[in-house]
Amino acid sequence: TLEAVALDSGSGAQALISQDRGEKDVTKKDFKFETAGEHQFSVKAQDFVGNVSDTIFYSVVIDDKAPSSKLKSAQAMVPLADQTFLSSLPNKLEFEAEDQGVGLQHVEVSYDGKNYSKLSGAIDLATWNVAQRTVYYRAVDQLGNVEEVKKMTIHLRDRGPKVGLFV
């Protein structure tokens, strides 16, 4: 809900006119938006001696849908089980996100599922000091709508298979 108020320090505000409909002695009006999407409206004011302000046009976007993100890797990963993957080194994780409403603000990542930080680039798996890690990620749009947390557990494999000769 937005509230429009007409003020005049001279003769006093007499009417607030919205969408070319004015009511006498109404100098406050609530604009309530109950559906998603873009809403446009205009307001102007009139004082007690007949002066009318310029019309001010507003466009309000109601976006109640979170953005959506997906993780991709530079090198192919082998799926093991439910959201668990095996990755060779070197490899990097990159995130793609989109928002159909007001636009994407950023992608956040966490390794504990509690403390998130803004992602500033690809994650280089070669910098990890552990052989297995769970990555939690989510996208945030310009209005603060936050995507439901997604996660992926990655096992690092930094050695190739062993070869032996048996006679």
Side-chain angles (χ1 to χ4, degrees), residues 88-149:
S88 64
L89 288 176
N91 201 357
K92 292 185 179 184
L93 302 179
E94 297 176 344
F95 298 84
E96 292 180 348
E98 63 179 21
D99 183 63
Q100 299 299 321
V102 296
L104 182 71
Q105 185 176 55
H106 63 269
V107 174
E108 298 176 330
V109 295
S110 171
Y111 294 114
D112 63 6
K114 298 174 187 166
N115 301 305
Y116 286 85
S117 59
K118 290 181 186 178
L119 185 67
S120 58
I123 297 174
D124 187 352
L125 300 184
T127 63
W128 288 3
N129 56 3
V130 293
Q132 174 184 319
R133 185 172 264 175
T134 300
V135 178
Y136 301 86
Y137 58 100
R138 62 189 183 190
V140 180
D141 72 10
Q142 297 288 340
L143 287 176
N145 294 321
V146 180
E147 175 184 30
E148 187 175 318
V149 174

Side-chain angles (χ1 to χ4, degrees), residues 3-137:
E3 179 181 69
V5 178
L7 302 170
D8 183 67
S9 61
S11 65
Q14 181 186 29
L16 180 68
I17 303 164
S18 64
Q19 310 297 83
D20 298 323
R21 292 184 304 255
E23 299 175 44
K24 297 283 185 203
D25 301 321
V26 173
T27 56
K28 276 188 189 180
K29 178 165 178 60
D30 288 340
F31 292 90
K32 190 171 187 175
F33 308 102
E34 296 183 11
T35 59
E38 185 175 5
H39 303 273
Q40 296 180 351
F41 66 98
S42 63
V43 293
K44 59 185 174 181
Q46 180 177 336
D47 66 13
F48 280 101
V49 293
N51 296 317
V52 178
S53 71
D54 291 336
T55 302
I56 301 172
F57 296 93
Y58 292 96
S59 179
V60 175
V61 177
I62 305 298
D63 179 4
D64 60 353
K65 292 189 170 82
S68 128
S69 64
K70 64 181 173 180
L71 184 144
K72 64 180 195 172
S73 61
Q75 303 295 324
M77 292 194 292
V78 177
L80 298 175
D82 185 42
Q83 295 304 310
T84 303
F85 295 84
L86 183 63
S87 175
S88 64
L89 288 176
N91 201 357
K92 292 185 179 184
L93 302 179
E94 297 176 344
F95 298 84
E96 292 180 348
E98 63 179 21
D99 183 63
Q100 299 299 321
V102 296
L104 182 71
Q105 185 176 55
H106 63 269
V107 174
E108 298 176 330
V109 295
S110 171
Y111 294 114
D112 63 6
K114 298 174 187 166
N115 301 305
Y116 286 85
S117 59
K118 290 181 186 178
L119 185 67
S120 58
I123 297 174
D124 187 352
L125 300 184
T127 63
W128 288 3
N129 56 3
V130 293
Q132 174 184 319
R133 185 172 264 175
T134 300
V135 178
Y136 301 86
Y137 58 100

